[in-house]
Structures are given as structure tokens and as C-alpha cells.
Amino acid sequence: MSSWYAAWPALVAAAGVLVLPGLVVSLVAGLRGIPAIALAPPLSVTVISVSAVVAGLVGVPFGVLVVAVGTVVLAAALGGVLVAARAFGLRERQPITRSRGADAAGLAGAVVGGVCAAVAVMRGIGKPEVFPQTFDAVFHLNAVWHALQTGDASSLALGTVAAPGRSMGFYPAAWHDVTILVDQLSGAGVVVSASAVSVVIAGIVWPWGCVLLIRQAIGARPGVLVAGGVLSGAFAASPLMLLSYGTLWPNALATVLIPAVLACAVSVLRVPERGVQEPGPDGEPAVSDPGRLRAGVVGLALLPGVLLAHPNAILSAGLLVTVLAIVAGWQWVSAPRTSTARRLVVAAGAVGVVAVELWLVVWSPVFDTTRAISWPSGQTMAQAAGEWILSAPMRTPVPWLASLLVLVGLVAAWRRTSTRWLVVAHVAAGALFVLVAGSDGPVARALSGPWYDDPFRLAALVGVLAVPLAALGLESLVSGVTARLGALGRGRREWAVVGAAVALAVVSGGVYSGADSSVVATWYSSHDIVGPDEQALLERLPQLVPAGTTVAGNPWNGSVLAAPLGDRTMLYPHLQGSWGPDRTIVALHLSAAGSDREVCPAVRRLRLGYVLAGPVSFWKGDWRQARYGGLDVANTPGFEPVAHGGRLTLYRVTAC
């Protein structure tokens, strides 16, 4: 496969997998328009990831049929809850809507911004069969292949890929589950399926979520919705950076789900209650509300998918929702005639929520493993603050026009009671990023545990609120200029905003796409693990190694990718792991098979027949590479060379 045109089955499958299950659920739940469409991907993630867990527990192979059953179950559950609520007298307030093409305009903007983002991803990747040669990508590709072979794609089992002796091992598997379905439906292979999922995450899931958040938080006005959709593709840090750096595919998927969670929270909390009626620039109602009950029920249904995409996204969303709730509570208690008792209750609730979140972040045993990881800060706090202000964290390209609109949007949002929380939340997320990116002190370490003390994961949050703020900034700027000039009446100013957004799309399509693609290409352009010659050898393994035979190799020399590239079981499917006694014996002493009596019994138990030997080119000198010293079998009796490719040579084990 040499072009994205040839990858169309995988792209179509990825779009279908991430949209159709959730769309069925959202329609059954009574959602229509932008809410129904934009909430479809996060609901799909919940259906897919939870279905995989249930299938693993009952011993059913994961696949399309399992997801179909899960879709029916979740749709029936949500529908049943809403029917029961109505039966008990819980009815929705009549939603305030603003039609006349607002939803169509928002989706049109999302298409434009999504196409720009998708093109940037495709250009950055290059060819769909190219993969980022990074530490994490090795695990993710092997985990997808492993789940395809075993039929178990549960988040409760995926961690056993790097710990084969364990019966269970948690690892958030939502991204892997989606990629597995894409491969099953398209037959494109693990790598191409992963590339297709990245394109759809950036081109569909992210812009739709941004438009939904804008609709609920700012208003169902054509101008601001078009602007938001277009601007969703302007910020390289969200979500393009995580699709390449690391490579943090699960975290990227989790991050693009956060706008939908926030949109549901806005509808539930109604920030403030009177903000629903607050007029927009043209004097008409600004907010279109799908209903508090429905938004709450659907919002709860999103959370399992976010959790199983990546747990730290729950905390990221929790931070933003907490700010939203505190601002809403403050506005409520500051209203006239609010009793002292109610104010005390709200204050106590706010303190309690913050205390729980601090416990989760700083002390909860759930994140003990990630707290043990520390990355040294590479810049000062002042530099990090400047990057956040310019919406270009971690040295991503500065989207000058978009970042200026964010600054305008901050001012405009602060002036409106119903959008003031956007400012506070954006500043709060920025403060956390600045602290982690610019400091190695005890406070930074304590607060960064769930995010692996990695500023990149926090940097990806910039677009969650930068997109709505920039859209509001564009609307305010255009509306203000036209109002001062008296050039347009109120009814036509909004279409001036649409026109400005279209012009912005033309500019951003040419300016931002190239910069964004360079961000993706950063970690796709290397050949540190395997080069073309090594990859060619790995892809020939089905012709060289009988099915069912295991292959060993020092994973640091590139042999670790033999499973996703060559469809053969590898003894060490990651660069590090808890391998158990037999694998440890082989790793340390295989080259001494002729003299060490423990080696051959281990070889036979592991069904080991071949070895991929060769020098290491990835992270040379890493101390963990010494754990595989016994796999250097070059010029060793009992190992017959079979094929050669670049640094790697395939040997048949004859010593046992």
C-alpha cells in the first residue's frame, strides 16, 4: 500500500466504527442535530471498550458482533432510564433552540476544520503503512496484534502483553479496541488501521466535539459554530501532537472526548440558569439546551469510554468540570435572596470536590505507577506560560491568527456571565501545564502524577478551550467592527462572522496545515528501530517461519515489531516487561544452549524456533538492553542463518 487512496477501506471502517454505534445510542436517547452527531464518537468509544471488557470476562472473542450487541444494550439502557424518569415525573424543560441552519452551519465548519486536520495528519504520516518509531508505539502495535490473535481485547487483560505470566493486567484498551475493529473490517493490517484511526480522530471526533462544546457553552449561532469548526484544525497541540509524540495514541483518543464531556456538564449545570436566556450579539437567545436530564444521563454514559481510553483524561475533564461547577456555584450563591445556608452548602460542596480530586491526583493508589515516572523540565515556567498564552505549548508552531483570537475571546468571555467559566478553566489548565513543564519541584511532582509528570499530555489540553475562545473572539471582533461602522444590521452581522470564518478557513488551510503536518511528521520520520531493509525482512517472516512457531530477538534491535509487521509471535513483544522464568533464561543464556542445561527445556516449552539477531540502533546504551545479552547468536554453533535484512539476521535454532 503506497497511498492514502488505497487505504480508503481502513478510513471508511475507522469512521464507521467511531460514529455508527454511538449514533444509534444518541438517537435512541432522543438527541438530534449537532448533539446527536457530535456525541456519537464518545458513545461509540464507551460501547466498544465496555463490550470488549464484558466479552473478555465471559470468554467471547471480541469483534463486530460483540459491539453490535453492546450498542443495543446501551441504547436500551439509556432509553429505559429516560422513560423511567418521565414515569416518575422528571420531565425536560422545553429546550430553547435556535434553528435556521445553525446545526448545518456548525457541521459545515467542522467538516472544513476536520479536512484541514485530517490532511495534516496524512501528510505528516506520509504513507499509511508508516508508523512512528517510538517506545510506546511498539507496545500499542503489538497489543493490537496480540488481541487480534487471542480474541481478548479487554482493558483488564491488555497489560499481560508485557507480562505474559499474569492472568490479568489492566491497560486502557479503547484505542486498541477501535483499531482492532478497523483491521477486522478492512483487512488493512495493524499499522494501516492505526494510521486510519489517527486520521479519523483528528478529522471527525475532535472537530465535532469542539462544535458541540461551543453550541452548549456559547450559543447555537451559525457564525460562532462555523468559526469553531474551522478553528478546530488550527492548534497543532490538540490533538495532533499526541498522535505522533510518544506515541500516545490512547491519550490522544481520550483527549478528543473531553469537549463532549464538558458540553454535557454545561447543559446539566446551566451556567448560569439565566444564561440560557442571555442574548447573543443579534439579540436572540444564545444557548440551545438539549435538557438537563438527557445531558446528565448521556454524560454519565460517556465516562466509561473516557476512562478506558485513558484514565488521566477523567482527571483532565474533572479539572475543567470542577472549575465550571465552582464558577456556576459562585454565580448562584451571589444572586440576591440566596440564603446563608445555601451558600454554606455550595461552599462545602466545592471544598469536598476539590479535596477528592486532590486525593486522586496526589495520594490515590490508582496512579502509584505513573507517579513513579518523572521527566525533567526542559524550560522555565516563564517560557511555558508564554507558550500557553500563544496556544503553542511544547514548542509547537504558533498559530498566530488563532492565538490572537483566543486572547480576544478571553476578554469577550469574561464580559459575559454565562461564558466566564471558559476563562477560569483555560487559566487553570494552563497553570497546571506551566507548573509541570517549568518546574521539577515537589508541588509539580505531586500534581503531575496521573500525567506521568509529562508536560506533553497536559499541553494537549490547550485546544479544548482555546477553540471555543477563538471562535468567540472571532465573533466578537467581527460583530464589534461591523456594529461600530454601522455597516450591517443586527440580523446580518452573524453572516459576516460566517464570511470571516470562511476566509479564515482559506487562510488556515494554507498556513496551518503545513505546520501541523510537521508536528505529526516529527516522530514518524525516523528509522531508529527498523529501517527499510529490516522492515522488509520482518514482512517476509510468513514465508520463512512456520505458523505457530515463536521467534526470539533482542527487542531493542527492531525484532520487537515482527508480530505487527510479519504476523509471527514474538517472545518479547515490548522493549521491557515482566517475562517470567523461561523467557528470562532464554534472554540471558540462549547463545549457550549447547552447554547450559536449562536453556533447551525452556526453548521447547516456549515453542521457540527462530532468532532475529543484530545490533541495537534504538536508544543505544540503555541499561535495559543488557537483559537480552544471550540473544546475540551470530557465529554461534546451533544457530543456522536463514535470511538477512539490514542489521537483522534470521537464525533457525538447531541447538535444541
Side-chain angles (χ1 to χ4, degrees):
M1 188 174 294
S2 59
S3 72
W4 287 100
Y5 296 106
W8 70 265
L11 292 169
V12 172
V17 165
L18 279 167
V19 173
L20 294 180
L23 184 60
V24 171
V25 175
S26 64
L27 291 175
V28 171
L31 297 170
R32 298 294 183 268
I34 287 178
I37 295 172
L39 287 169
L43 285 170
S44 291
V45 174
T46 289
V47 168
I48 292 166
S49 57
V50 173
S51 297
V53 171
V54 174
L57 292 174
V58 301
V60 176
F62 177 71
V64 176
L65 182 58
V66 168
V67 173
V69 173
T71 302
V72 173
V73 171
L74 182 58
L78 293 191
V81 168
L82 293 171
V83 169
R86 286 194 293 271
F88 281 96
L90 298 175
R91 297 186 179 275
E92 297 282 15
R93 176 179 54 82
Q94 181 66 30
I96 298 170
T97 60
R98 174 81 193 280
S99 56
R100 291 190 301 181
D103 280 6
L107 292 175
V111 168
V112 173
V115 167
C116 291
V119 169
V121 172
M122 289 189 285
R123 289 176 59 187
I125 293 175
K127 297 179 180 179
E129 66 269 22
V130 176
F131 55 92
Q133 303 211 9
T134 60
F135 189 96
D136 289 53
V138 167
F139 174 81
H140 298 317
L141 295 174
N142 274 286
V144 171
W145 185 87
H146 175 80
L148 282 165
Q149 301 306 306
T150 63
D152 190 350
S154 170
S155 294
L156 302 179
L158 202 70
T160 62
V161 171
R166 299 176 185 171
S167 59
M168 296 183 69
F170 177 80
Y171 194 91
W175 178 87
H176 308 82
D177 298 337
V178 170
T179 306
I180 288 164
L181 292 172
V182 173
D183 182 66
Q184 290 177 337
L185 290 169
S186 67
V190 173
V191 174
V192 175
S193 297
S195 298
V197 171
S198 292
V199 173
V200 173
I201 284 175
I204 292 179
V205 183
W206 172 250
W208 287 8
C210 290
V211 169
L212 175 65
L213 177 57
I214 291 167
R215 183 184 190 273
Q216 301 310 121
I218 298 176
R221 302 187 294 275
V224 73
L225 292 177
V226 171
V230 169
L231 286 162
S232 67
F235 301 92
S238 304
L240 305 186
M241 183 172 60
L242 296 187
L243 294 174
S244 179
Y245 163 77
T247 296
L248 306 180
W249 285 318
N251 230 141
L253 175 60
T255 300
V256 300
L257 304 180
I258 293 176
V261 176
L262 272 178
C264 291
V266 170
S267 295
V268 170
L269 293 171
R270 296 183 194 148
V271 190
E273 182 77 20
R274 60 185 178 278
V276 176
Q277 297 284 355
E278 191 171 319
D282 56 359
E284 296 191 35
V287 176
S288 177
D289 188 1
R292 175 177 287 178
L293 174 63
R294 184 173 287 107
V297 171
V298 173
L300 289 175
L302 304 183
L303 297 183
V306 178
L307 175 67
L308 296 178
H310 206 291
N312 67 29
I314 288 286
L315 292 179
S316 298
L319 168 67
L320 302 178
V321 172
T322 298
V323 172
L324 166 66
I326 290 175
V327 173
W330 173 260
Q331 292 170 349
W332 184 63
V333 299
S334 62
R337 300 179 182 177
T338 302
S339 66
T340 302
R342 287 188 175 184
R343 290 175 180 175
L344 290 175
V345 168
V346 171
V351 171
V353 169
V354 171
V356 169
E357 290 204 10
L358 278 176
W359 177 80
L360 285 170
V361 170
V362 180
W363 295 288
S364 168
V366 173
F367 296 101
D368 280 348
T369 302
T370 60
R371 286 193 199 97
I373 300 172
S374 178
W375 293 92
S377 60
Q379 57 186 321
T380 65
M381 293 180 69
Q383 288 173 316
E387 289 181 346
W388 189 268
I389 291 170
L390 294 175
S391 302
M394 302 311 294
R395 298 176 178 83
T396 50
V398 179
W400 287 106
L401 181 55
S403 62
L404 290 174
L405 290 174
V406 171
L407 298 178
V408 175
L410 286 167
V411 176
W414 188 257
R415 289 177 175 175
R416 300 180 185 181
T417 307
S418 61
T419 56
R420 195 165 292 168
W421 73 272
L422 291 169
V423 179
V424 182
H426 191 61
V427 171
L432 183 58
F433 163 75
V434 169
L435 183 64
V436 176
S439 171
D440 292 321
V443 176
R445 289 287 298 116
L447 295 179
S448 63
W451 296 275
Y452 299 79
D453 191 33
D454 186 358
F456 280 91
R457 298 172 193 261
L458 292 166
L461 297 177
V462 68
V464 173
L465 296 174
V467 172
L469 287 168
L472 181 59
L474 180 64
E475 181 190 55
S476 300
L477 197 62
V478 173
S479 298
V481 170
T482 54
R484 286 183 179 275
L485 294 177
L488 295 172
R490 280 189 172 185
R492 295 184 179 180
R493 287 177 195 160
E494 195 153 295
W495 295 107
V497 179
V498 173
V502 172
L504 180 64
V506 174
V507 173
S508 63
V511 175
Y512 297 139
S513 184
D516 291 351
S517 64
S518 69
V519 171
V520 177
T522 301
W523 290 277
Y524 272 87
S525 57
S526 72
H527 297 291
D528 290 345
I529 299 179
V530 295
D533 294 334
E534 291 82 15
Q535 185 169 344
L537 173 61
L538 297 181
E539 291 173 348
R540 289 174 53 208
L541 289 181
Q543 290 79 47
L544 301 171
V545 177
T549 302
T550 304
V551 181
N554 181 341
W556 295 83
N557 67 13
S559 60
V560 68
L561 291 165
L565 296 178
D567 197 32
R568 287 297 178 263
T569 302
M570 284 302 299
L571 205 57
Y572 310 103
H574 192 29
L575 299 169
Q576 66 175 7
S578 177
W579 301 126
D582 283 350
R583 285 177 171 82
T584 300
I585 289 171
V586 170
L588 293 173
H589 307 294
L590 180 62
S591 58
S595 58
D596 191 326
R597 295 181 179 180
E598 291 186 325
V599 174
C600 282
V603 167
R604 286 189 285 269
R605 286 191 293 268
L606 295 169
R607 302 181 68 180
L608 178 61
Y610 291 81
V611 181
L612 279 163
V616 170
S617 63
F618 183 68
W619 293 8
K620 292 182 179 179
D622 190 289
W623 63 272
R624 290 167 289 188
Q625 296 165 7
R627 295 175 174 177
Y628 306 96
L631 299 174
D632 183 5
V633 298
N635 303 316
T636 301
F639 299 91
E640 176 187 339
V642 175
H644 181 75
R647 293 176 289 100
L648 296 179
T649 300
L650 179 68
Y651 293 88
R652 181 184 294 109
V653 179
T654 59
C656 301

